[in-house]
Amino acid sequence: MNTVETWVIIILLGLGTFVLRFSFLGMIGGRPMPEWVLRHLRYTPVAVLPALVAPAVVWPAATGGDPDAARLLAAFATVAIGLATRNALWSIVGGAATLYGALWLLG
């Protein structure tokens, strides 16, 4: 792939992203949204973080795509801490500590 093709792809992807965001934010703009839409949008951040993390737990690049005990244990600890404390920061810290501890213990 040459430089021109690369820049064309980058520009097209940027325009596509802009159009998708504008279609939602620009068109609706200052109009109030229905209550049912707002209720569903509340769950967006809760769904995005697990969607970003799940592939790294199930198919970690560090092990060539094979699940390993350390990452599964860290994911379980993160969910358990999150359910117990209802605090995202403690969940992340606890999961990271569990991952590093399990990698150290299991090698």
Coordinates of all heavy atoms in Angstrom, one line a residue:
M1 N 0.9 -1.2 0.0 CA 0.0 0.0 0.0 C 0.9 1.2 0.0 O 1.8 1.3 0.8 CB -0.9 0.0 1.2 CG -1.9 1.1 1.2 SD -3.0 1.3 2.6 CE -3.3 -0.3 3.3
N2 N 0.6 2.2 -0.9 CA 1.4 3.4 -1.0 C 0.9 4.5 -0.1 O -0.2 4.3 0.5 CB 1.6 3.8 -2.4 CG 0.3 4.2 -3.0 OD1 -0.6 4.6 -2.4 ND2 0.2 4.1 -4.4
T3 N 1.6 5.6 0.0 CA 1.2 6.7 0.8 C -0.1 7.3 0.5 O -0.9 7.7 1.4 CB 2.3 7.8 0.8 OG1 3.6 7.2 1.0 CG2 2.1 8.9 1.8
V4 N -0.4 7.4 -0.8 CA -1.7 8.0 -1.2 C -2.9 7.2 -0.8 O -3.9 7.7 -0.3 CB -1.7 8.2 -2.8 CG1 -3.1 8.7 -3.3 CG2 -0.6 9.2 -3.2
E5 N -2.8 5.9 -1.0 CA -3.8 5.0 -0.5 C -4.0 5.1 1.0 O -5.2 5.1 1.5 CB -3.5 3.5 -0.9 CG -3.6 3.2 -2.4 CD -3.2 1.8 -2.7 OE1 -2.5 1.2 -1.9 OE2 -3.6 1.3 -3.8
T6 N -3.0 5.1 1.7 CA -3.1 5.3 3.2 C -3.8 6.5 3.6 O -4.7 6.5 4.4 CB -1.7 5.3 3.8 OG1 -1.0 4.1 3.4 CG2 -1.7 5.3 5.3
W7 N -3.5 7.7 3.0 CA -4.1 8.9 3.3 C -5.6 8.9 2.9 O -6.4 9.5 3.6 CB -3.3 10.1 2.7 CG -2.2 10.4 3.6 CD1 -0.9 10.2 3.3 CD2 -2.2 11.0 4.9 NE1 -0.1 10.6 4.3 CE2 -0.9 11.1 5.3 CE3 -3.2 11.4 5.7 CZ2 -0.5 11.7 6.5 CZ3 -2.9 12.0 7.0 CH2 -1.5 12.1 7.4
V8 N -5.9 8.3 1.8 CA -7.3 8.3 1.3 C -8.1 7.5 2.3 O -9.2 7.9 2.7 CB -7.4 7.6 -0.1 CG1 -8.8 7.3 -0.5 CG2 -6.8 8.6 -1.1
I9 N -7.6 6.3 2.8 CA -8.3 5.5 3.8 C -8.4 6.3 5.1 O -9.5 6.3 5.7 CB -7.5 4.2 4.0 CG1 -7.6 3.3 2.8 CG2 -8.0 3.5 5.3 CD1 -6.8 2.1 2.8
I10 N -7.4 7.0 5.5 CA -7.5 7.8 6.8 C -8.6 8.9 6.6 O -9.4 9.1 7.5 CB -6.1 8.4 7.1 CG1 -5.2 7.3 7.6 CG2 -6.3 9.5 8.2 CD1 -3.8 7.7 7.8
I11 N -8.6 9.6 5.5 CA -9.5 10.7 5.3 C -11.0 10.1 5.2 O -11.9 10.7 5.8 CB -9.2 11.5 4.1 CG1 -7.9 12.3 4.3 CG2 -10.3 12.4 3.6 CD1 -7.3 12.9 3.1
L12 N -11.1 9.0 4.5 CA -12.5 8.4 4.4 C -13.0 7.9 5.8 O -14.2 8.1 6.1 CB -12.5 7.3 3.4 CG -12.4 7.7 1.9 CD1 -12.3 6.5 1.0 CD2 -13.5 8.6 1.5
L13 N -12.1 7.3 6.5 CA -12.5 6.8 7.9 C -12.9 8.0 8.8 O -13.8 8.0 9.6 CB -11.4 6.0 8.5 CG -11.3 4.6 7.9 CD1 -10.0 3.9 8.5 CD2 -12.5 3.8 8.1
G14 N -12.1 9.1 8.7 CA -12.4 10.3 9.4 C -13.7 10.9 9.1 O -14.5 11.3 9.9
L15 N -14.0 11.0 7.8 CA -15.3 11.5 7.3 C -16.5 10.6 7.8 O -17.5 11.1 8.2 CB -15.3 11.6 5.8 CG -14.5 12.8 5.2 CD1 -14.4 12.7 3.7 CD2 -15.0 14.1 5.7
G16 N -16.2 9.3 7.7 CA -17.3 8.4 8.1 C -17.6 8.5 9.6 O -18.7 8.5 10.0
T17 N -16.5 8.7 10.4 CA -16.7 8.9 11.8 C -17.4 10.2 12.1 O -18.3 10.3 12.9 CB -15.3 8.9 12.6 OG1 -14.7 7.7 12.3 CG2 -15.5 9.2 14.0
F18 N -17.1 11.3 11.4 CA -17.8 12.6 11.5 C -19.2 12.4 11.2 O -20.1 12.9 11.9 CB -17.1 13.6 10.7 CG -17.8 14.9 10.7 CD1 -17.7 15.8 11.8 CD2 -18.7 15.3 9.7 CE1 -18.3 17.0 11.9 CE2 -19.4 16.5 9.8 CZ -19.2 17.3 10.9
V19 N -19.6 11.8 10.1 CA -20.9 11.6 9.7 C -21.8 10.9 10.7 O -22.9 11.2 11.0 CB -21.0 11.0 8.3 CG1 -22.4 10.6 7.9 CG2 -20.5 11.9 7.2
L20 N -21.2 9.8 11.2 CA -21.9 9.0 12.2 C -22.2 9.8 13.5 O -23.3 9.8 14.0 CB -21.1 7.8 12.6 CG -21.2 6.6 11.6 CD1 -20.2 5.5 12.0 CD2 -22.6 6.1 11.5
R21 N -21.2 10.6 13.9 CA -21.4 11.4 15.2 C -22.3 12.5 14.9 O -23.1 12.9 15.7 CB -20.0 11.9 15.7 CG -19.2 10.7 16.2 CD -17.9 11.2 16.7 NE -17.1 10.1 17.1 CZ -16.0 10.2 17.8 NH1 -15.5 11.4 18.2 NH2 -15.3 9.1 18.2
F22 N -22.2 13.2 13.8 CA -23.0 14.3 13.4 C -24.5 13.9 13.3 O -25.4 14.6 13.7 CB -22.6 15.0 12.2 CG -23.4 16.2 11.9 CD1 -23.2 17.4 12.6 CD2 -24.4 16.2 10.9 CE1 -24.0 18.5 12.3 CE2 -25.1 17.3 10.6 CZ -24.9 18.5 11.3
S23 N -24.7 12.7 12.8 CA -26.1 12.2 12.6 C -26.8 12.1 13.9 O -28.0 12.3 14.0 CB -26.1 10.9 11.9 OG -25.5 9.9 12.7
F24 N -26.0 11.8 15.0 CA -26.7 11.7 16.3 C -26.6 13.0 17.0 O -27.7 13.5 17.5 CB -26.0 10.6 17.1 CG -26.6 10.4 18.4 CD1 -27.8 9.7 18.5 CD2 -26.0 10.8 19.6 CE1 -28.4 9.5 19.7 CE2 -26.6 10.6 20.8 CZ -27.8 10.0 20.9
L25 N -25.5 13.6 17.1 CA -25.3 14.8 17.9 C -25.8 16.1 17.2 O -26.5 16.9 17.8 CB -23.9 15.0 18.3 CG -23.3 13.9 19.2 CD1 -21.8 14.1 19.4 CD2 -24.0 13.9 20.5
G26 N -25.5 16.2 15.9 CA -25.9 17.4 15.2 C -27.3 17.5 14.8 O -27.9 18.5 14.9
M27 N -27.9 16.4 14.5 CA -29.3 16.4 14.1 C -30.2 16.5 15.3 O -31.2 17.3 15.2 CB -29.6 15.1 13.3 CG -28.8 14.9 12.1 SD -29.3 16.0 10.9 CE -29.3 15.0 9.4
I28 N -29.9 15.9 16.4 CA -30.7 16.0 17.6 C -30.4 17.3 18.3 O -31.3 18.0 18.7 CB -30.5 14.8 18.5 CG1 -31.1 13.5 17.8 CG2 -31.2 15.0 19.8 CD1 -30.8 12.2 18.5
G29 N -29.1 17.6 18.4 CA -28.7 18.9 18.9 C -29.3 19.2 20.2 O -29.2 18.5 21.2
G30 N -30.0 20.4 20.3 CA -30.6 20.9 21.5 C -32.0 20.3 21.9 O -32.5 20.7 22.9
R31 N -32.5 19.5 21.0 CA -33.8 19.0 21.3 C -33.8 18.0 22.5 O -32.9 17.2 22.6 CB -34.4 18.3 20.1 CG -34.8 19.2 19.0 CD -35.5 18.5 17.9 NE -34.5 18.4 16.8 CZ -34.5 17.6 15.8 NH1 -35.5 16.8 15.7 NH2 -33.6 17.6 14.9
P32 N -34.8 18.0 23.3 CA -34.8 17.0 24.4 C -35.1 15.6 23.8 O -35.9 15.4 22.9 CB -36.0 17.5 25.3 CG -36.8 18.3 24.4 CD -35.9 18.9 23.4
M33 N -34.4 14.6 24.4 CA -34.6 13.2 24.0 C -35.7 12.6 24.9 O -35.9 12.9 26.0 CB -33.3 12.5 24.2 CG -32.3 12.8 23.1 SD -31.0 11.6 23.2 CE -29.6 12.6 23.5
P34 N -36.4 11.6 24.3 CA -37.4 10.9 25.1 C -36.8 10.2 26.3 O -35.6 9.8 26.2 CB -38.0 9.9 24.1 CG -37.6 10.3 22.7 CD -36.3 11.2 22.9
E35 N -37.5 10.0 27.3 CA -37.0 9.3 28.5 C -36.5 7.9 28.3 O -35.5 7.5 28.8 CB -38.1 9.3 29.6 CG -37.7 8.7 30.9 CD -36.6 9.4 31.5 OE1 -36.5 10.6 31.4 OE2 -35.7 8.7 32.2
W36 N -37.1 7.2 27.4 CA -36.7 5.8 27.1 C -35.3 5.8 26.5 O -34.5 4.9 26.7 CB -37.7 5.0 26.3 CG -37.9 5.5 24.9 CD1 -38.8 6.5 24.5 CD2 -37.2 5.1 23.7 NE1 -38.7 6.7 23.1 CE2 -37.7 5.9 22.6 CE3 -36.2 4.2 23.5 CZ2 -37.2 5.7 21.4 CZ3 -35.7 4.1 22.2 CH2 -36.2 4.8 21.1
V37 N -35.0 6.8 25.6 CA -33.7 6.9 25.0 C -32.6 7.2 26.1 O -31.5 6.6 26.1 CB -33.6 8.0 23.9 CG1 -32.2 8.2 23.4 CG2 -34.5 7.6 22.8
L38 N -32.9 8.2 26.9 CA -32.0 8.5 28.0 C -31.7 7.3 28.9 O -30.6 7.1 29.4 CB -32.5 9.7 28.8 CG -32.6 11.0 28.0 CD1 -33.3 12.1 28.9 CD2 -31.2 11.5 27.6
R39 N -32.8 6.6 29.2 CA -32.6 5.4 30.1 C -31.7 4.4 29.5 O -30.8 3.8 30.1 CB -34.0 4.8 30.3 CG -34.0 3.7 31.4 CD -35.4 3.2 31.8 NE -36.2 2.9 30.6 CZ -37.3 3.6 30.3 NH1 -37.7 4.6 31.0 NH2 -38.1 3.3 29.3
H40 N -31.8 4.2 28.2 CA -30.9 3.2 27.5 C -29.5 3.8 27.3 O -28.5 3.0 27.4 CB -31.4 2.8 26.1 CG -32.7 2.0 26.2 ND1 -32.8 0.8 26.9 CD2 -33.9 2.2 25.7 CE1 -34.0 0.3 26.8 NE2 -34.7 1.1 26.1
L41 N -29.3 5.1 27.1 CA -28.0 5.6 27.0 C -27.2 5.6 28.3 O -26.0 5.6 28.3 CB -28.1 7.1 26.5 CG -28.5 7.2 25.0 CD1 -28.7 8.7 24.7 CD2 -27.4 6.6 24.1
R42 N -27.9 5.5 29.4 CA -27.2 5.4 30.7 C -26.3 4.1 30.8 O -25.3 4.1 31.5 CB -28.2 5.3 31.8 CG -28.4 6.6 32.5 CD -29.3 6.4 33.7 NE -30.6 6.2 33.2 CZ -31.7 6.0 33.9 NH1 -31.6 6.1 35.2 NH2 -32.9 5.8 33.3
Y43 N -26.6 3.1 30.0 CA -25.9 1.8 30.1 C -24.8 1.8 29.1 O -24.0 0.8 29.0 CB -26.9 0.7 29.9 CG -27.9 0.6 31.0 CD1 -29.2 1.0 30.7 CD2 -27.5 0.2 32.2 CE1 -30.2 0.9 31.7 CE2 -28.5 0.2 33.3 CZ -29.8 0.5 33.0 OH -30.7 0.5 34.0
T44 N -24.6 2.8 28.3 CA -23.5 2.8 27.2 C -22.1 2.6 27.8 O -21.4 1.7 27.4 CB -23.6 4.0 26.3 OG1 -24.9 4.0 25.7 CG2 -22.6 4.0 25.3
P45 N -21.7 3.4 28.8 CA -20.4 3.3 29.4 C -20.2 1.9 30.0 O -19.1 1.3 30.0 CB -20.3 4.4 30.4 CG -21.3 5.4 30.1 CD -22.4 4.6 29.4
V46 N -21.2 1.4 30.6 CA -21.1 0.1 31.3 C -20.9 -1.0 30.2 O -20.2 -2.0 30.5 CB -22.4 -0.2 32.1 CG1 -22.4 -1.6 32.7 CG2 -22.6 0.8 33.1
A47 N -21.4 -0.9 29.0 CA -21.2 -1.9 28.0 C -19.9 -1.7 27.2 O -19.3 -2.7 26.7 CB -22.4 -1.8 27.0
V48 N -19.4 -0.5 27.1 CA -18.2 -0.2 26.3 C -16.9 -0.8 27.0 O -16.1 -1.4 26.3 CB -18.0 1.3 26.0 CG1 -16.7 1.6 25.5 CG2 -19.1 1.8 25.1
L49 N -16.8 -0.6 28.3 CA -15.5 -1.1 28.9 C -15.4 -2.6 28.9 O -14.3 -3.1 28.5 CB -15.5 -0.6 30.4 CG -14.2 -0.8 31.1 CD1 -13.0 -0.2 30.4 CD2 -14.3 -0.3 32.5
P50 N -16.4 -3.4 29.2 CA -16.3 -4.8 29.0 C -16.0 -5.2 27.6 O -15.3 -6.2 27.3 CB -17.6 -5.4 29.5 CG -18.1 -4.4 30.4 CD -17.7 -3.0 29.9
A51 N -16.6 -4.5 26.6 CA -16.4 -4.8 25.2 C -15.0 -4.6 24.8 O -14.5 -5.3 23.9 CB -17.4 -4.0 24.3
L52 N -14.3 -3.6 25.4 CA -12.9 -3.4 25.1 C -12.0 -4.4 25.8 O -11.0 -4.7 25.2 CB -12.5 -2.0 25.5 CG -13.2 -0.8 24.7 CD1 -12.8 0.5 25.4 CD2 -12.7 -0.8 23.3
V53 N -12.4 -4.8 26.9 CA -11.5 -5.7 27.7 C -11.7 -7.2 27.4 O -10.7 -7.9 27.5 CB -11.8 -5.4 29.2 CG1 -11.0 -6.4 30.1 CG2 -11.4 -4.0 29.6
A54 N -12.9 -7.6 27.1 CA -13.2 -9.0 26.9 C -12.2 -9.7 25.9 O -11.8 -10.8 26.2 CB -14.6 -9.2 26.5
P55 N -11.9 -9.1 24.7 CA -11.0 -9.8 23.8 C -9.6 -10.0 24.4 O -9.0 -11.1 24.2 CB -10.9 -8.9 22.6 CG -12.2 -8.1 22.6 CD -12.5 -8.0 24.1
A56 N -9.1 -9.1 25.2 CA -7.8 -9.3 25.9 C -7.8 -10.4 26.9 O -6.8 -10.9 27.2 CB -7.4 -7.9 26.5
V57 N -9.0 -10.7 27.5 CA -9.1 -11.7 28.5 C -9.3 -13.1 27.8 O -8.6 -14.1 28.1 CB -10.3 -11.5 29.4 CG1 -10.5 -12.7 30.3 CG2 -10.0 -10.2 30.2
V58 N -10.1 -13.2 26.8 CA -10.4 -14.4 26.2 C -9.4 -14.8 25.1 O -9.0 -16.0 25.1 CB -11.8 -14.4 25.5 CG1 -12.2 -15.7 24.8 CG2 -12.9 -14.0 26.5
W59 N -8.8 -13.9 24.4 CA -7.8 -14.2 23.4 C -6.6 -13.3 23.6 O -6.3 -12.4 22.7 CB -8.3 -13.9 22.0 CG -9.5 -14.8 21.6 CD1 -9.4 -16.1 21.3 CD2 -10.8 -14.4 21.5 NE1 -10.7 -16.6 21.0 CE2 -11.6 -15.5 21.1 CE3 -11.5 -13.2 21.6 CZ2 -12.9 -15.5 20.9 CZ3 -12.9 -13.1 21.4 CH2 -13.6 -14.3 21.1
P60 N -5.8 -13.4 24.7 CA -4.7 -12.5 24.9 C -3.6 -12.7 23.9 O -3.2 -13.8 23.6 CB -4.3 -12.8 26.4 CG -4.8 -14.2 26.6 CD -6.0 -14.4 25.7
A61 N -3.1 -11.6 23.5 CA -2.0 -11.6 22.5 C -0.7 -12.1 23.2 O 0.2 -12.7 22.5 CB -1.7 -10.2 21.9
A62 N -0.6 -11.9 24.5 CA 0.7 -12.3 25.2 C 0.8 -13.8 25.2 O 1.9 -14.3 25.3 CB 0.6 -11.8 26.6
T63 N -0.3 -14.6 25.0 CA -0.2 -16.0 25.0 C -0.5 -16.6 23.7 O -0.7 -17.8 23.6 CB -1.2 -16.6 26.1 OG1 -2.5 -16.3 25.7 CG2 -0.9 -16.1 27.5
G64 N -0.5 -15.8 22.7 CA -0.7 -16.3 21.3 C -2.2 -16.6 21.1 O -2.5 -17.4 20.2
G65 N -3.1 -16.0 21.9 CA -4.5 -16.2 21.7 C -5.1 -17.3 22.6 O -6.3 -17.5 22.5
D66 N -4.3 -18.0 23.4 CA -4.8 -19.0 24.3 C -5.2 -18.3 25.6 O -4.4 -17.6 26.2 CB -3.8 -20.1 24.5 CG -3.5 -20.8 23.2 OD1 -4.4 -21.0 22.4 OD2 -2.3 -21.3 23.1
P67 N -6.4 -18.6 26.2 CA -6.7 -18.1 27.5 C -5.8 -18.6 28.6 O -5.3 -19.8 28.5 CB -8.1 -18.6 27.8 CG -8.7 -19.0 26.4 CD -7.5 -19.4 25.6
D68 N -5.4 -17.8 29.5 CA -4.6 -18.3 30.6 C -5.2 -18.0 32.0 O -6.1 -17.1 32.1 CB -3.2 -17.7 30.5 CG -3.1 -16.3 30.7 OD1 -4.1 -15.6 30.5 OD2 -2.0 -15.8 31.1
A69 N -4.7 -18.7 33.0 CA -5.3 -18.6 34.3 C -5.2 -17.2 34.9 O -6.1 -16.7 35.6 CB -4.7 -19.6 35.2
A70 N -4.1 -16.5 34.7 CA -3.8 -15.2 35.3 C -4.9 -14.2 34.8 O -5.4 -13.5 35.6 CB -2.4 -14.8 35.0
R71 N -5.1 -14.2 33.6 CA -6.1 -13.2 33.0 C -7.5 -13.5 33.4 O -8.3 -12.6 33.7 CB -5.9 -13.0 31.5 CG -4.7 -12.2 31.2 CD -4.2 -12.4 29.8 NE -3.0 -11.6 29.5 CZ -1.8 -12.0 29.8 NH1 -1.6 -13.1 30.5 NH2 -0.7 -11.2 29.6
L72 N -7.8 -14.8 33.4 CA -9.2 -15.2 33.8 C -9.4 -14.9 35.3 O -10.5 -14.4 35.7 CB -9.4 -16.6 33.5 CG -9.5 -17.0 32.0 CD1 -9.5 -18.5 31.8 CD2 -10.6 -16.3 31.3
L73 N -8.4 -15.1 36.1 CA -8.5 -14.8 37.5 C -8.6 -13.3 37.8 O -9.4 -12.9 38.6 CB -7.3 -15.4 38.3 CG -7.2 -15.2 39.8 CD1 -8.3 -16.0 40.4 CD2 -5.9 -15.7 40.3
A74 N -7.9 -12.5 37.0 CA -8.0 -11.1 37.2 C -9.3 -10.6 36.7 O -9.9 -9.7 37.3 CB -6.9 -10.4 36.3
A75 N -9.9 -11.1 35.7 CA -11.2 -10.7 35.2 C -12.3 -11.1 36.3 O -13.2 -10.3 36.6 CB -11.6 -11.4 33.9
F76 N -12.2 -12.3 36.8 CA -13.1 -12.7 37.9 C -13.0 -11.8 39.1 O -14.0 -11.3 39.7 CB -12.9 -14.1 38.3 CG -13.7 -14.6 39.4 CD1 -15.1 -14.9 39.2 CD2 -13.2 -14.7 40.7 CE1 -15.9 -15.3 40.2 CE2 -14.0 -15.1 41.7 CZ -15.4 -15.4 41.5
A77 N -11.7 -11.5 39.5 CA -11.5 -10.6 40.6 C -12.1 -9.2 40.4 O -12.7 -8.6 41.3 CB -10.0 -10.5 41.0
T78 N -11.9 -8.7 39.2 CA -12.4 -7.4 38.8 C -13.9 -7.3 38.9 O -14.5 -6.4 39.5 CB -12.0 -7.0 37.4 OG1 -10.5 -7.0 37.3 CG2 -12.5 -5.6 37.0
V79 N -14.6 -8.3 38.4 CA -16.1 -8.4 38.5 C -16.5 -8.5 39.9 O -17.4 -7.8 40.3 CB -16.6 -9.5 37.6 CG1 -18.1 -9.7 37.8 CG2 -16.3 -9.2 36.1
A80 N -15.8 -9.3 40.7 CA -16.2 -9.5 42.1 C -16.0 -8.3 42.9 O -16.9 -7.9 43.7 CB -15.4 -10.7 42.7
I81 N -14.9 -7.6 42.7 CA -14.7 -6.3 43.4 C -15.7 -5.3 43.0 O -16.2 -4.5 43.8 CB -13.2 -5.9 43.2 CG1 -12.3 -6.8 43.9 CG2 -13.0 -4.5 43.8 CD1 -10.8 -6.6 43.5
G82 N -16.0 -5.2 41.7 CA -17.0 -4.3 41.2 C -18.4 -4.5 41.8 O -19.0 -3.5 42.2
L83 N -18.8 -5.7 41.9 CA -20.1 -6.1 42.5 C -20.1 -5.8 44.0 O -21.1 -5.3 44.5 CB -20.4 -7.5 42.2 CG -20.8 -7.9 40.8 CD1 -20.9 -9.4 40.6 CD2 -22.0 -7.1 40.3
A84 N -19.0 -6.0 44.6 CA -18.9 -5.8 46.1 C -18.9 -4.3 46.5 O -19.5 -3.9 47.4 CB -17.7 -6.6 46.7
T85 N -18.1 -3.6 45.7 CA -17.8 -2.2 46.1 C -18.7 -1.2 45.3 O -18.8 0.0 45.7 CB -16.4 -1.8 45.9 OG1 -16.0 -1.9 44.6 CG2 -15.5 -2.7 46.8
R86 N -19.1 -1.6 44.1 CA -19.9 -0.6 43.2 C -19.0 0.6 42.9 O -19.5 1.7 42.7 CB -21.2 -0.2 43.8 CG -22.1 -1.2 44.1 CD -22.8 -1.7 42.9 NE -23.8 -2.7 43.2 CZ -24.3 -3.5 42.3 NH1 -24.0 -3.3 41.1 NH2 -25.2 -4.4 42.7
N87 N -17.7 0.3 42.8 CA -16.7 1.4 42.5 C -15.8 1.0 41.4 O -15.1 0.0 41.5 CB -15.9 1.7 43.8 CG -15.0 2.9 43.6 OD1 -14.5 3.1 42.6 ND2 -15.0 3.7 44.7
A88 N -15.9 1.7 40.3 CA -15.1 1.3 39.1 C -13.6 1.4 39.3 O -12.8 0.5 38.9 CB -15.5 2.2 37.9
L89 N -13.2 2.4 40.1 CA -11.7 2.6 40.3 C -11.2 1.4 41.2 O -10.1 0.9 40.8 CB -11.5 3.9 41.0 CG -10.0 4.3 41.3 CD1 -9.2 4.3 40.0 CD2 -9.9 5.6 42.0
W90 N -11.9 1.0 42.2 CA -11.4 -0.1 43.0 C -11.4 -1.4 42.2 O -10.5 -2.3 42.4 CB -12.3 -0.3 44.3 CG -11.9 0.7 45.3 CD1 -12.7 1.7 45.8 CD2 -10.6 0.8 46.0 NE1 -12.0 2.4 46.8 CE2 -10.7 1.9 46.9 CE3 -9.4 0.1 45.9 CZ2 -9.7 2.3 47.7 CZ3 -8.4 0.5 46.8 CH2 -8.5 1.6 47.6
S91 N -12.4 -1.5 41.3 CA -12.4 -2.7 40.4 C -11.2 -2.8 39.5 O -10.5 -3.8 39.4 CB -13.6 -2.7 39.5 OG -14.8 -2.7 40.3
I92 N -10.8 -1.7 38.9 CA -9.7 -1.6 38.0 C -8.4 -1.9 38.8 O -7.5 -2.7 38.4 CB -9.6 -0.3 37.3 CG1 -10.8 -0.2 36.3 CG2 -8.3 -0.1 36.5 CD1 -11.0 1.2 35.8
V93 N -8.2 -1.2 39.9 CA -7.0 -1.4 40.8 C -6.9 -2.8 41.3 O -5.9 -3.5 41.2 CB -7.0 -0.4 41.9 CG1 -5.9 -0.7 42.9 CG2 -6.9 1.0 41.4
G94 N -8.0 -3.4 41.7 CA -8.0 -4.8 42.2 C -7.7 -5.8 41.1 O -7.0 -6.7 41.3
G95 N -8.3 -5.5 39.9 CA -8.1 -6.4 38.8 C -6.6 -6.4 38.3 O -6.0 -7.4 38.0
A96 N -6.1 -5.2 38.3 CA -4.7 -5.0 37.9 C -3.7 -5.7 38.9 O -2.8 -6.4 38.5 CB -4.3 -3.5 37.7
A97 N -4.0 -5.5 40.2 CA -3.2 -6.1 41.2 C -3.3 -7.6 41.2 O -2.3 -8.3 41.3 CB -3.6 -5.6 42.6
T98 N -4.5 -8.1 40.9 CA -4.6 -9.6 40.8 C -3.9 -10.1 39.6 O -3.3 -11.1 39.6 CB -6.1 -9.9 40.6 OG1 -6.8 -9.4 41.8 CG2 -6.3 -11.4 40.6
L99 N -4.0 -9.4 38.4 CA -3.3 -9.8 37.2 C -1.8 -9.9 37.5 O -1.1 -10.9 37.2 CB -3.6 -8.9 36.1 CG -2.8 -9.2 34.8 CD1 -3.2 -10.6 34.2 CD2 -3.1 -8.1 33.7
Y100 N -1.2 -8.8 38.0 CA 0.3 -8.8 38.2 C 0.7 -9.8 39.3 O 1.7 -10.5 39.1 CB 0.7 -7.4 38.6 CG 0.7 -6.4 37.5 CD1 -0.1 -5.3 37.5 CD2 1.4 -6.7 36.3 CE1 -0.1 -4.4 36.5 CE2 1.3 -5.8 35.2 CZ 0.6 -4.7 35.3 OH 0.5 -3.8 34.3
G101 N -0.1 -10.0 40.3 CA 0.2 -11.0 41.3 C 0.1 -12.4 40.7 O 1.0 -13.2 41.0
A102 N -0.9 -12.7 39.9 CA -1.1 -14.0 39.3 C 0.0 -14.3 38.3 O 0.5 -15.4 38.2 CB -2.4 -14.1 38.7
L103 N 0.4 -13.2 37.5 CA 1.5 -13.4 36.6 C 2.8 -13.7 37.3 O 3.6 -14.5 36.9 CB 1.6 -12.2 35.7 CG 0.5 -12.0 34.6 CD1 0.7 -10.7 33.9 CD2 0.6 -13.2 33.6
W104 N 3.0 -13.1 38.4 CA 4.2 -13.3 39.2 C 4.2 -14.7 39.8 O 5.2 -15.4 39.8 CB 4.3 -12.2 40.3 CG 5.6 -12.3 41.1 CD1 6.8 -12.0 40.7 CD2 5.6 -12.8 42.5 NE1 7.7 -12.3 41.8 CE2 7.0 -12.7 42.9 CE3 4.7 -13.2 43.4 CZ2 7.4 -13.2 44.1 CZ3 5.1 -13.6 44.6 CH2 6.5 -13.6 45.0
L105 N 3.1 -15.1 40.4 CA 3.0 -16.4 41.0 C 3.0 -17.6 40.0 O 3.7 -18.6 40.2 CB 1.7 -16.5 41.9 CG 1.7 -15.7 43.2 CD1 0.3 -15.8 43.8 CD2 2.8 -16.3 44.1
L106 N 2.3 -17.4 38.9 CA 2.2 -18.5 37.9 C 3.3 -18.5 36.9 O 3.5 -19.4 36.2 CB 0.8 -18.4 37.2 CG -0.4 -18.6 38.2 CD1 -1.7 -18.3 37.4 CD2 -0.4 -19.9 38.8
G107 N 4.0 -17.4 36.8 CA 5.1 -17.3 35.9 C 4.8 -17.0 34.5 O 4.4 -17.1 33.6

